[in-house]
Amino acid sequence: MLNTGHSDSFAFTLEDLRWVLEAESGTALLQTGLDMIIQTVPPIMGGALLLQTSSRQLQVQSGIPADALDIVEAWKTAWRPSQQGEEHEADFTLPPDQWVALPMQSYRHLVAGRALFYVQEPLTQEVLHFLQNLLSILAHYANIIEENRAARRYSQRLELLFDITRALTETLDLQGVLSYTMQLAATAMDAEAASLLLADPKTNELYFYAIHSTQRDRLVNVRLQNNQGIVGWVYQTGEAVICDDPANDPRFSQVVDERSGFVTRNILCVPLQVKGKRIGVLEVLNKHGDESFTEEDKHLLMTLAAEAAIAIENARLYQNLREERDRIMRIQEDVRRELARTLHDTTVQLLSSIVMSVSHAQKLYERAPELLPDELRNIEDLAQRAMLSTRQLLFELRPVVLETRGLGAALEAYIQRLDEISRQTRFILDLCEDLPDLPPHVAQTLFAIVQEAINNAIKHAQASTIRVKTVCTDEGMEVLVEDDGKGFDLKKVQQSYDVSGSLGLINMYERANLIEASLTIESEVGKGTRIQIVLPYESLDRLRAIAENR
Ligand SMILES: Nc1ncnc2c1ncn2[C@@H]1O[C@H](COP(=O)(O)OP(=O)(O)OP(=O)(O)O)[C@@H](O)[C@H]1O
Ligand SMILES: [Mg+2]
């Protein structure tokens, strides 16, 4: 039995104290402690305790009569703890007699708090002294319990973060892993919902990419302007936001709540950025219970956002790589098909003509030797053409001259050969004098576009003249391929690309894009075709700088 040593009018057992000290949380400890005081110290009928621990503010009260509650509220508002635990009731005076206010400090002044008691009669000095000691013990242990809880919460969060990081780095199923991440984020932050929105730079919108919410299905297709709502504000400014009162926050937009039926009570939203570039935002909504999101939540969510942003970037790079690989494979396949077709249509045809002519010559040798010289000349002509067309093919596959002497020389060699081989079409080349030196990949790309344009003209146009021109203006250089053939309806061709399976024109546009050039195709049925590639010097300078840094 413990008592104040002065009277036995109140006392409590060690057992009572054990119940107090074994409480689950700081609040529970204060509540049990306060109830015990009220029960064992008869003049005290009610009371309120306020305590600022190292991680949060605790408050409990009990036994205060209803008509005195506003006094307690006024006392609570007047109390503003400071780091040093100083007194803070200068601007508030309690009505005398029925109230006793006491400081509530742990021994080492680590925490600050106040106690207010509602009493039937004034307390003796001994009782006051005893209460002060007891309040110190309560403050001390409440702080220890809270610190422990905070440490446990922190280590649980670290474990969660570790799980998330591992999941994010180990998988390439980005959508799946980010949905899982949203679920873990909501758990770690003790929130009702979590979602990740990505920016769509083409439309200046933010769209939901991963969602953990009961209203998920209603949010999947929702898009917001990238400056709309708190998510928009965070995306624009790059600053994290904790908002406890969205209804009165001018940045908040009702749109998403209206669409989803969700009621947002509070929000924590952080930006997603990689290498200084903002790609979206991450938000958690509605902290469970009456609490709001803390600075600690904010830091955790920011760490998580950094991990998620890297995972998104990696997945995007991987996706680009895959697309690039598919594109290269497609181009290789096209080249192979084109090669087989050209070999079949030219070299193989010519060789089989040669074989037939040789066998005819053998017969002539026996039956009409006077016709043999003509036949031999025919064979020589066929062999000559077979050689030229094979050389042309080799040149098209790898125009060495392009690498050694540049675009102008390559075009000269190419056009000259085509003109030599062709029977129906005249090939003309106009080169401007001051054609600039081009980085190798730029020259190769331009050459490949010209090749496709000429092949199309040969295959489809039945032109009498095909002209290739380079023009140098003050702003940049242009390459033109013109034919006077039958022309075509560009719109129709573009509309039927899905079914035609041809890629020539698409490849031309893609290649031009790669070197920041613009490509224009003009064609009209019966009036020939004109293809123009414009490469501004501005782009060329950039391409040169890139080539030098490679
Ligand atoms: N110079 C041209 N004159 C007339 N028609 C053309 C010309 N260039 C293209 N076309 C028309 O446009 C269509 C699409 O051209 P594209 O180069 O994309 O495909 P393709 O040449 O048919 O096949 P691929 O280039 O994939 O081997 C051609 O099929 C042809 O009808
Ligand atoms: Mg083509």
Side-chain angles (χ1 to χ4, degrees), residues 334 337-338 341 452-462 483 485-490 493 497 500-508 521 523 528-531:
D334 288 348
R337 211 183 51 208
E338 190 62 33
R341 198 159 60 189
E452 176 58 31
I454 289 182
N455 280 338
N456 273 353
I458 295 173
K459 259 198 311 192
H460 309 297
Q462 291 162 2
D483 71 64
K486 58 186 195 182
F488 66 104
D489 185 336
L490 180 63
V493 168
Y497 255 122
S500 75
S502 47
L503 289 164
L505 300 185
I506 294 179
N507 280 345
M508 283 203 272
I521 301 175
S523 189
T529 301
R530 180 176 189 269
I531 289 171

Side-chain angles (χ1 to χ4, degrees), residues 72 168 231 256 279 430 543:
V72 178
L168 284 172
V231 285
V256 178
I279 59 168
D430 293 335
L543 293 162

Side-chain angles (χ1 to χ4, degrees), residues 388-428:
L388 274 175
S389 67
T390 313
R391 277 211 183 127
Q392 176 64 14
L393 201 63
L394 284 174
F395 179 82
E396 285 195 24
L397 280 178
R398 190 156 193 271
V400 179
V401 58
L402 186 64
E403 285 162 34
T404 54
R405 290 169 46 219
L407 182 67
L411 287 175
E412 266 170 7
Y414 183 48
I415 298 296
Q416 190 189 337
R417 269 177 217 203
L418 284 170
D419 200 45
E420 276 170 24
I421 301 169
S422 172
R423 297 239 157 122
Q424 302 91 9
T425 313
R426 216 154 61 94
F427 286 82
I428 301 172

Side-chain angles (χ1 to χ4, degrees), residues 71 78 89-96:
I71 293 182
E89 283 174 343
D91 48 353
F92 179 71
T93 326
L94 278 169

